[in-house]
Amino acid sequence: MHSIKLAAAILALGATSVSAITCNKNIKITEPNQVISCDVVNADITISDDLAGDVVIDGPKQIKGSFIANNASQLISLTSTTINSITDTFELQGLEKLSTLEFSSLKSVGDITMIKLPQLSSLNFGTEGVTKMDSIRISDTFISDLSGLSVATVQNLQIDNNKQITKFDSDLVNITGTLIINNNGNDFQVTMKKLRLAGEFQISNVKSFSVPILAKLTKSLKFDSNDELTSFSAPNITEIADDVSFINNKKLVNISMPLLEDLTGGFTIQNNTAMKSIDGFESLKNVTGGIILRGSFSKVKLPSLEAVEGSVTVTSTTDIKTFCEFFDKLKDDDKIAGKESCTWNNKEANEGGDGGDSSDGSNDDSSDDSGDGAGMTSVSFAVLGLTAIAGL
C-alpha cells in the first residue's frame, strides 16, 4: 500500500514538473502559428512587424515580461486561449488592419497600452474580462465598448480620440493617479457610480460625467472645453488637494460640490458663457491658492468662505456689485492674503480682458491673473493630457 502511494506521489510530482516549463529568453513571433513550448515565459514576447494575417499564440499561460505588437501593419487578428496573465505591459500600437483581438483567458495585466488601432472595434477578454491591471491607455482606436475592462483599481486611465465610444460605465473604485478623457465619440457619457477616490481628473469633450459617491481627489479636478456638458455634481466630495478649474464649457450652467470645505489649490471658473450663477459651493471655507471667477454670471454665493491665501480676481459681464462688496470686506478683514480685484459690467470678462466698474474699496488689478495657484486659465487640458502620456 505504501509503495502504491509513493508511486502515485512520484507520478504527481513528475506531472507538476512537466506542466511548469519556463522559458527565460525573449521570444519573437515570426510565424502565424508559431509553437511556444512554455507554460511560463519569464521574458518578453514580441510580434514581428512584418507578420501578416491571423496570428494564434497558444501554449504560454503566464508572461512575466511584456507582450508587444507594434507597427505590424498587415496583422488582421491576434488571438490566444491560454495566456491568462501579463506581468508588465500589453502593448499594441500602429496595427492599422487589426480588427480582432481575443485573449479569452486573460485576467491580469500590468499595463494596457493600445494606440492607433483604427480597425479594432472591441476588446474580447472572456466572460469576466480583465480584473486586475495597473494602468490603461486606449487612444486612436475604433473601439466602441470597454466592458472587457472589469477592474476595481488602476493607477492611470487614459481614454482619448476613440470616435466610436459614446458611453463608458465603469465599476472602478479607486484611480490612484490620473484620469484623462478627451475627444472621444459625440455626446460621450461617463458614469463611475462606485468611484470613491481619485488622483487627478483631466476631462474634455464629454456630455455628462457622473461620480455620485466620490469623496476625495488627491490632486486636481479640471474640466476644459466640454461643449455639451450642462452640469457637474460631486455631492459627496469633501477634499481636493490641488486646483479646481472649469474653463471653456459653453453650455455648463451648474456646478455643485456642497460638502467641499477646503481646497488646497486654486479655484478657477472662466468662460462658461451659459452659467448665470455660481452657488454650488455652500461649505467652501478655505482656498490655499487663489480664486479666478470670470464669466457672465449674475449671482454668486460663497457663504462659508473665510480665507484665501492667494489672490482674488472676479469679473462678470453683468452687475455683481453686491458680491464684489463681499470680497472687498474679506480683503479689508485681511482674509485675502494676495491682491483682490472685483469688477462688473466687463464686456471682456469671459475672454480674460480688463475693464468694467469697480467699487471704491476694491484693488482693481485684474490684469494679474496669476492667482498664486489659480492660474492656467488659457491652458487647454487636451494639451495637458498629451503631456501626461509619459506618466502612463
Side-chain angles (χ1 to χ4, degrees):
M1 180 66 72
H2 291 295
S3 61
I4 293 174
K5 290 182 177 180
L6 180 59
I10 291 172
L11 288 173
L13 179 62
T16 300
S17 63
V18 169
S19 65
I21 298 174
T22 299
C23 296
N24 292 307
K25 292 184 178 180
N26 292 336
I27 297 173
K28 188 170 186 177
I29 306 298
T30 57
E31 300 176 5
N33 294 282
Q34 187 166 321
V35 177
I36 303 176
S37 301
C38 314
D39 291 299
V40 178
V41 178
N42 194 21
D44 298 339
I45 293 181
T46 303
I47 304 295
S48 175
D49 61 10
D50 59 2
L51 201 57
D54 303 325
V55 174
V56 178
I57 303 171
D58 282 332
K61 296 179 180 178
Q62 300 178 42
I63 302 173
K64 294 192 174 180
S66 296
F67 184 100
I68 301 170
N70 289 343
N71 303 315
S73 60
Q74 301 303 309
L75 188 66
I76 295 174
S77 73
L78 185 59
T79 64
S80 173
T81 60
T82 61
I83 296 173
N84 60 52
S85 68
I86 301 170
T87 300
D88 293 335
T89 300
F90 186 14
E91 181 177 328
L92 307 177
Q93 187 166 181
L95 309 178
E96 296 177 1
K97 293 186 178 181
L98 183 71
S99 60
T100 301
L101 178 67
E102 293 186 3
F103 278 59
S104 58
S105 298
L106 189 62
K107 297 292 184 291
S108 174
V109 180
D111 299 334
I112 286 183
T113 300
M114 297 183 178
I115 303 173
K116 293 184 179 179
L117 310 175
Q119 302 298 322
L120 185 65
S121 61
S122 63
L123 304 177
N124 297 311
F125 293 144
T127 55
E128 295 182 6
V130 177
T131 58
K132 182 180 180 182
M133 68 185 72
D134 294 330
S135 294
I136 306 166
R137 181 183 173 190
I138 310 291
S139 302
D140 297 291
T141 75
F142 200 66
I143 292 172
S144 60
D145 182 8
L146 294 176
S147 59
L149 306 177
S150 303
V151 293
T153 299
V154 297
Q155 180 178 358
N156 299 306
L157 173 59
Q158 179 170 342
I159 304 171
D160 64 313
N161 298 304
N162 305 286
K163 297 301 185 181
Q164 296 303 308
I165 301 178
T166 59
K167 186 178 182 181
F168 181 45
D169 293 331
S170 170
D171 287 333
L172 277 166
V173 177
N174 295 322
I175 302 173
T176 59
T178 302
L179 171 66
I180 298 174
I181 294 179
N182 175 46
N183 200 30
N184 294 293
N186 292 333
D187 298 334
F188 189 60
Q189 300 180 57
V190 180
T191 302
M192 294 184 162
K193 61 184 178 182
K194 296 182 180 180
L195 189 66
R196 294 182 178 275
L197 172 68
E200 178 166 329
F201 285 174
Q202 295 181 18
I203 310 299
S204 295
N205 302 110
V206 303
K207 182 178 181 179
S208 66
F209 190 90
S210 176
V211 282
I213 65 171
L214 180 66
K216 180 179 179 181
L217 286 175
T218 60
K219 294 182 181 178
S220 299
L221 184 151
K222 303 173 181 178
F223 280 73
D224 180 16
S225 301
N226 297 279
D227 290 346
E228 299 301 319
L229 183 70
T230 59
S231 67
F232 172 77
S233 176
N236 286 292
I237 198 163
T238 59
E239 182 179 353
I240 299 176
D242 209 323
D243 297 338
V244 168
S245 60
F246 290 82
I247 303 174
N248 303 324
N249 306 289
K250 64 183 182 181
K251 292 185 180 180
L252 184 64
V253 297
N254 180 63
I255 306 169
S256 178
M257 299 182 207
L259 301 183
L260 181 64
E261 292 188 4
D262 297 302
L263 180 57
T264 313
F267 181 49
T268 300
I269 297 177
Q270 176 169 329
N271 199 29
N272 306 291
T273 52
M275 184 175 292
K276 303 307 178 185
S277 63
I278 301 174
D279 55 3
F281 299 86
E282 299 96 320
S283 301
L284 185 61
K285 293 181 179 180
N286 303 298
V287 178
T288 301
I291 293 177
I292 298 174
L293 305 178
R294 286 182 168 273
S296 298
F297 43 83
S298 56
K299 176 184 177 183
V300 184
K301 288 185 177 181
L302 294 171
S304 301
L305 189 63
E306 296 178 351
V308 181
E309 295 186 20
S311 298
V312 171
T313 298
V314 180
T315 185
S316 177
T317 60
T318 69
D319 187 348
I320 56 167
K321 180 178 179 180
T322 301
F323 182 68
C324 285
E325 292 173 353
F326 165 78
F327 264 129
D328 293 343
K329 187 175 188 306
L330 285 179
K331 180 62 176 177
D332 292 341
D333 293 341
D334 294 326
K335 293 182 178 181
I336 298 175
K339 295 180 180 179
E340 181 248 336
S341 170
C342 191
T343 62
W344 58 93
N345 296 330
N346 177 6
K347 295 180 180 179
E348 298 182 355
N350 284 289
E351 295 78 8
D354 301 333
D357 303 320
S358 62
S359 60
D360 293 337
S362 69
N363 188 357
D364 189 10
D365 189 8
S366 57
S367 62
D368 179 9
D369 269 6
S370 62
D372 295 343
M376 301 176 65
T377 59
S378 62
V379 177
S380 170
F381 299 127
V383 176
L384 289 179
L386 294 175
T387 63
I389 289 173
L392 296 173

